[in-house]
């Protein structure tokens, strides 16, 4: 159709007058008009192509929007899954970067390509403070067989204050809270699992020796409580030996003005633990005495004395009692209210004392030291040197007296 033409013909008649001699001749006149339709079709084709291009562009934009929304949704879903499910490394490439999850901090670690996988059999483990569980792994070898013989594994606790783990996967809860247990193979792959350490509703330390201060150590509750703790930890020491050889002691005197003077109870025991009229001392003094004992016995690299003054009873139960560590603790005799009965001018204050020479110190009567060994929902259980058996004190009352005396507490920790 590109070369077809339409031809139109028009005929006109010319008349010759009769007066002319020559004959009349009628000559047809032909006018030819040619119209090409190529331009018509080309215009139509251009319109169609432009319409198609517009349609394609609109579809491309729509497809791009859909693709972007889909990618964002997938990334969000993966992030949500990573925050819940413990991460397992599968080494399928030359170097895989993995973000540790789900608890405290995220770490990026690269591991070599092995095409092995390692998973814990549970997504979360739970254990009570002071108790043990075993965490188990499922290993997939290079050949894809599950439960293959495990390679050499190394277990690590990310927070040993909350839980410890041995190289057989046995986990012991040490303190209340959350941590992660990580296991690493000798081929370089690893995985982690969250561990939740809970606090039991009641707990009592067993086999703690009991010593009654009776009529022999009339003011010696601090020394008696400390010796009970030392004996529980395996040391062969008596109350007399502790008082006579290790406990710093001070006496009252009078200055030129007639004022009563003495060291403060952060520096030394006021009086003699054998005498009824003596006062007492605070954790600093007991720490100095036990430090001296450990130094003499060459135990300073194995044990340390920790002054926990200011901590709460909740902290003591969560971090020490449930781990079978008795606590030397200060409250009052038979839960009587403390009352200021004596005051004096401080002389010879230790450098670690909150008092300095010349300060006035006020003594709170009814001060008493005991050994905390347990608790339940209603009571704290103590080896009270004034009683001939284990004593239970109401929680609310004991917490109040503990606070009023200054929240004094002390423990002995085994280092190695």
């Amino acid at each position: 159709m590109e070369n077809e033409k339409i031809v139109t013909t028009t005929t006109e008649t010319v008349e010759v007058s009769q007066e002319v001699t020559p004959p009349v001749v009628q000559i047809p006149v032909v006018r030819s008009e040619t119209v090409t339709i190529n331009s018509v079709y080309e215009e139509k084709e251009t319109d169609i192509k432009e319409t198609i291009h517009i349609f394609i562009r609109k579809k491309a934009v729509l497809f791009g929007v859909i693709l972007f929304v889909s990618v964002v949704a997938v990334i969000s879903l993966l992030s949500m899954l990573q925050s819940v499910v413990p991460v397992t490394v599968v080494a399928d490439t030359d170097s895989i970067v993995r973000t540790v999850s789900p608890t405290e901090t995220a770490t990026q670690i690269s591991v070599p390509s092995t095409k092995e996988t390692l998973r814990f059999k549970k997504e979360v483990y739970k254990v009570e403070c002071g108790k043990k569980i075993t965490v188990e792994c499922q290993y997939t070898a290079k050949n894809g067989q599950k439960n293959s013989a495990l390679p050499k594994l190394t277990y690590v606790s990310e927070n040993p204050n909350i839980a410890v783990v041995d190289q057989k996967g046995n986990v012991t809860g040490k303190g209340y809270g959350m941590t992660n247990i990580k296991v690493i193979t000798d081929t370089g792959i690893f995985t982690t699992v969250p561990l939740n350490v809970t606090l039991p509703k009641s707990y009592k330390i067993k086999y703690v020796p009991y010593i009654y201060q009776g009529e022999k150590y009339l003011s010696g509750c601090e020394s008696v409580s400390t010796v009970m703790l030392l004996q529980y930890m395996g040391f062969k020491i008596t109350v007399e030996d502790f008082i006579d050889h290790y406990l710093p002691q001070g006496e009252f005197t009078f200055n030129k003005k007639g004022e009563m003077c003495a060291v403060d109870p952060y520096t030394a025991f006021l009086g003699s633990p054998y005498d009824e009229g003596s006062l007492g001392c605070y954790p600093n003094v007991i720490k100095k005495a036990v430090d001296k004992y450990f130094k003499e016995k060459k135990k300073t690299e194995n044990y340390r004395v920790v002054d926990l003054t200011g901590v709460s009873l909740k902290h003591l139960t969560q971090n020490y009692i449930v781990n079978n560590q008795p606590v030397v603790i200060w409250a009052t005799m038979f839960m009587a209210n403390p009352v200021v009965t004596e005051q004096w001018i401080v002389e010879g204050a230790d450098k670690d004392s909150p008092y300095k020479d010349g300060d006035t110190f006020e003594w709170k009567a009814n001060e008493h030291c005991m050994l905390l060994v347990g608790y339940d929902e209603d009571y704290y259980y103590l080896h009270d040197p004034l009683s001939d058996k284990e004593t239970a004190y109401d929680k609310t009352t004991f917490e109040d007296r503990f606070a009023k005396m200054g929240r004094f507490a002390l423990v002995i920790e085994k280092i190695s």
Side-chain angles (χ1 to χ4, degrees):
M1 295 192 54
E2 291 183 358
N3 297 316
E4 289 188 22
K5 296 181 180 179
I6 299 175
V7 179
T8 59
T9 303
T10 303
T11 304
E12 296 182 0
T13 304
V14 180
E15 295 182 359
V16 181
S17 175
Q18 292 180 358
E19 296 180 352
V20 180
T21 305
V24 177
V25 180
Q26 292 184 345
I27 302 173
V29 178
V30 178
R31 296 176 180 175
S32 177
E33 297 177 2
T34 305
V35 180
T36 303
I37 68 170
N38 288 358
S39 60
V40 176
Y41 280 93
E42 287 174 358
E43 290 178 1
K44 293 293 184 180
E45 184 178 8
T46 300
D47 292 341
I48 293 172
K49 287 182 178 180
E50 187 171 295
T51 301
I52 293 172
H53 288 162
I54 293 172
F55 176 80
I56 292 173
R57 283 197 298 270
K58 288 183 177 180
K59 289 295 184 179
V61 171
L62 180 60
F63 176 78
V65 170
I66 294 172
L67 180 62
F68 175 79
V69 171
S70 300
V71 170
V72 170
V74 170
I75 292 173
S76 300
L77 179 60
L78 290 175
S79 299
M80 291 169 58
L81 289 174
Q82 188 178 24
S83 66
V84 175
V85 181
V87 176
T88 301
V89 173
V90 182
D92 284 334
T93 62
D94 291 337
S95 181
I96 295 178
V97 177
R98 164 267 202 197
T99 301
V100 179
S101 177
T103 56
E104 302 163 357
T105 57
T107 316
Q108 288 191 339
I109 305 172
S110 295
V111 296
S113 174
T114 60
K115 295 185 179 179
E116 302 167 271
T117 62
L118 185 67
R119 295 180 181 274
F120 283 99
K121 291 189 176 180
K122 294 183 178 180
E123 292 186 355
V124 179
Y125 284 91
K126 182 178 179 181
V127 64
E128 282 189 354
C129 286
K131 294 189 177 181
K132 295 182 179 181
I133 60 168
T134 300
V135 294
E136 296 181 287
C137 291
Q138 178 177 290
Y139 171 70
T140 302
K142 293 180 182 180
N143 57 14
Q145 292 182 353
K146 292 185 177 180
N147 300 317
S148 301
L150 285 171
K152 182 180 178 181
L153 302 178
T154 300
Y155 290 89
V156 180
S157 169
E158 293 187 359
N159 189 341
N161 292 324
I162 294 179
V164 294
V165 59
D166 64 20
Q167 295 313 303
K168 293 183 179 180
N170 298 314
V171 176
T172 302
K174 301 294 289 183
Y176 176 76
M178 289 286 296
T179 187
N180 285 332
I181 300 298
K182 178 188 291 186
V183 61
I184 309 167
T185 70
D186 55 359
T187 57
I189 64 170
F190 58 86
T191 186
T192 62
V193 68
L195 175 72
N196 181 19
V197 182
T198 62
L199 189 67
K201 292 183 178 180
S202 63
Y203 195 86
K204 192 181 292 184
I205 303 172
K206 298 178 180 179
Y207 313 118
V208 180
Y210 180 80
I211 302 174
Y212 176 53
Q213 71 182 86
E215 297 180 358
K216 190 171 185 179
Y217 319 109
L218 296 175
S219 299
C221 57
E222 299 93 346
S223 296
V224 171
S225 298
T226 304
V227 171
M228 282 192 281
L229 175 57
L230 286 167
Q231 290 183 358
Y232 169 76
M233 299 187 76
F235 294 100
K236 295 180 180 180
I237 184 173
T238 64
V239 177
E240 292 91 339
D241 190 26
F242 185 82
I243 293 172
D244 297 342
H245 296 97
Y246 304 104
L247 183 70
Q249 300 173 49
E251 296 292 339
F252 287 97
T253 61
F254 291 89
N255 62 18
K256 293 179 180 180
K257 296 180 180 180
E259 298 170 321
M260 188 165 63
C261 302
V263 295
D264 61 274
Y266 293 92
T267 300
F269 183 94
L270 274 299
S272 170
Y274 298 110
D275 297 337
E276 185 176 8
S278 296
L279 300 183
C281 65
Y282 297 155
N284 306 47
V285 178
I286 298 300
K287 183 180 186 307
K288 285 190 290 184
V290 179
D291 283 342
K292 182 180 179 181
Y293 174 75
F294 284 158
K295 184 177 181 180
E296 184 179 292
K297 301 298 180 181
K298 298 181 180 181
K299 296 293 185 180
T300 55
E301 293 184 359
N302 307 109
Y303 296 89
R304 65 185 173 199
V305 186
V306 182
D307 183 348
L308 295 172
T309 295
V311 304
S312 67
L313 275 159
K314 183 178 181 180
H315 177 88
L316 296 175
T317 54
Q318 288 180 350
N319 293 278
Y320 293 98
I321 299 303
V322 295
N323 290 304
N324 297 311
Q325 291 181 272
V327 179
V328 178
I329 193 166
W330 277 253
T332 59
M333 294 186 290
F334 307 115
M335 298 300 106
N337 268 305
V339 180
V340 175
T341 56
E342 304 284 348
Q343 65 178 26
W344 63 87
I345 304 301
V346 174
E347 281 188 356
D350 191 88
K351 63 180 181 179
D352 296 326
S353 170
Y355 287 83
K356 61 182 183 295
D357 287 1
D359 288 346
T360 298
F361 183 86
E362 294 183 338
W363 174 258
K364 293 179 180 179
N366 296 322
E367 173 265 354
H368 189 46
C369 185
M370 296 166 274
L371 191 64
L372 179 65
V373 297
Y375 70 93
D376 60 23
E377 292 181 327
D378 301 312
Y379 299 97
Y380 290 110
Y381 294 92
L382 298 108
H383 282 202
D384 185 344
L386 287 176
S387 176
D388 58 358
K389 60 182 179 181
E390 184 179 271
T391 306
Y393 287 114
D394 173 73
K395 269 190 167 183
T396 302
T397 304
F398 188 86
E399 288 171 359
D400 177 74
R401 305 303 187 264
F402 172 66
K404 286 179 177 177
M405 284 305 304
R407 296 182 184 273
F408 295 137
L410 176 145
V411 295
I412 298 173
E413 295 181 349
K414 188 174 183 179
I415 303 172
S416 60

